[in-house]
Amino acid sequence: MTWFEALIVLVAGMGAGTINAVVGSGTLLTFPALLAVGIPPVIANVSNTVGLSPGTAAGALGYRRELAGQRGRMLRLVPASLLGGIVGGVLLLKLPVSAFHAVVPGLIVLGCVLVVLQPWLSKWIVAPAHHHRGHWWVMPAVFLTGVYGGYFGAAQGVLLMAILGLGLDSDLQRMNGLKNVLATVVNSVAAILFIIASHVDWRAAALIAVGSTIGGFVGARYGRKLPPLALRGLIVLIGLTAVVTMVF
């Protein structure tokens, strides 16, 4: 990896950390960056997960005020994310590489679609709730999102925000804080699995870790001021570039 390539990965990590704290689709920045510098897709995915873990933790720490009074929710939902992250990570390690190549372009497109739909999802989330919200489905939905996050994870945070906002009775910023905790759990447990059982490109992971940690704190503090339309446009453009790279 040249110095210029290292700079690309570092900057992508900073952008991903910022975006993950605010929205949750940072993998759509870092994964294409790792492909662009010549890292094979599965190793890129593993190294990306390891690198983004400190950044998601920084984002969760930055939202600690919004977590006040949510201890009960965390105790219920963290185990679902933990188990989901383990299952997703094991699937990545056990399924053949060909399965990853076949599935991931579709997952990236799904991530891009979710990023585009995020403003409408947000309006849906904050719309007046019915008297009885679907609490029963929140835990299994969080588990399935954890499986997705452990396997690949692009726009995992967008999925979590939709689930939490529709299934729990709270304001958007408090749900964002809880989303950051759950994403941290998924990324961390998958990262531990990958460190033990897979090959990690430690240069790439370290650059993303440094960048995403800085970005996580920046996102928690200033991220709400980013122009949302420009941000979504950039994410979708980079994500679609990654799809073209993997397919062709």
Side-chain angles (χ1 to χ4, degrees):
M1 190 183 297
T2 67
W3 283 103
F4 180 69
E5 290 173 335
L7 181 62
I8 290 173
V9 174
L10 178 66
V11 171
M14 290 176 68
T18 303
I19 292 165
N20 279 341
V22 182
V23 180
S25 48
T27 292
L28 293 176
L29 292 182
T30 47
F31 184 70
L34 295 179
L35 295 181
V37 301
I39 298 175
V42 173
I43 295 175
N45 186 45
V46 165
S47 306
N48 180 61
T49 299
V50 173
L52 284 179
S53 295
T56 51
L61 188 62
Y63 273 84
R64 60 190 178 278
R65 283 182 299 180
E66 285 81 0
L67 293 171
Q70 298 201 75
R71 183 171 180 271
R73 285 173 176 167
M74 285 190 283
L75 288 175
R76 288 193 301 272
L77 295 178
V78 161
S81 286
L82 183 69
L83 185 58
I86 292 171
V87 172
V90 169
L91 285 174
L92 180 69
L93 295 174
K94 294 297 183 183
L95 291 176
V97 173
S98 58
F100 185 83
H101 281 266
V103 170
V104 163
L107 294 179
I108 294 174
V109 171
L110 173 63
C112 291
V113 170
L114 286 169
V115 170
V116 170
L117 295 179
Q118 193 266 336
W120 288 272
L121 287 172
S122 294
K123 289 178 184 177
W124 191 24
I125 288 167
V126 300
H130 297 292
H131 291 297
H132 300 287
R133 303 180 99 183
H135 294 287
W136 66 269
W137 53 262
V138 171
M139 190 174 294
V142 167
F143 164 75
L144 290 173
T145 305
V147 175
Y148 172 74
Y151 187 81
F152 184 61
Q156 174 190 190
V158 179
L159 281 172
L160 281 172
M161 283 298 288
I163 291 163
L164 298 175
L166 292 169
L168 301 176
D169 188 14
S170 190
D171 69 80
L172 204 56
Q173 291 305 330
R174 284 171 63 77
M175 291 302 92
N176 209 16
L178 183 57
K179 174 267 291 182
N180 284 337
V181 170
L182 298 179
T184 297
V185 170
V186 172
N187 284 1
S188 298
V189 70
I192 291 168
L193 267 177
F194 298 155
I195 289 169
I196 293 170
S198 186
H199 175 70
V200 178
D201 186 316
W202 284 107
R203 291 175 301 174
L207 288 165
I208 291 175
V210 171
S212 68
T213 301
I214 296 168
F217 284 117
V218 169
R221 185 162 185 178
Y222 303 109
R224 301 179 189 91
K225 300 176 183 177
L226 292 172
L229 184 62
L231 184 63
R232 280 191 293 275
L234 177 64
I235 292 168
V236 170
L237 176 64
I238 294 173
L240 293 177
T241 301
V243 171
V244 172
T245 301
M246 287 196 70
V247 172
F248 299 106

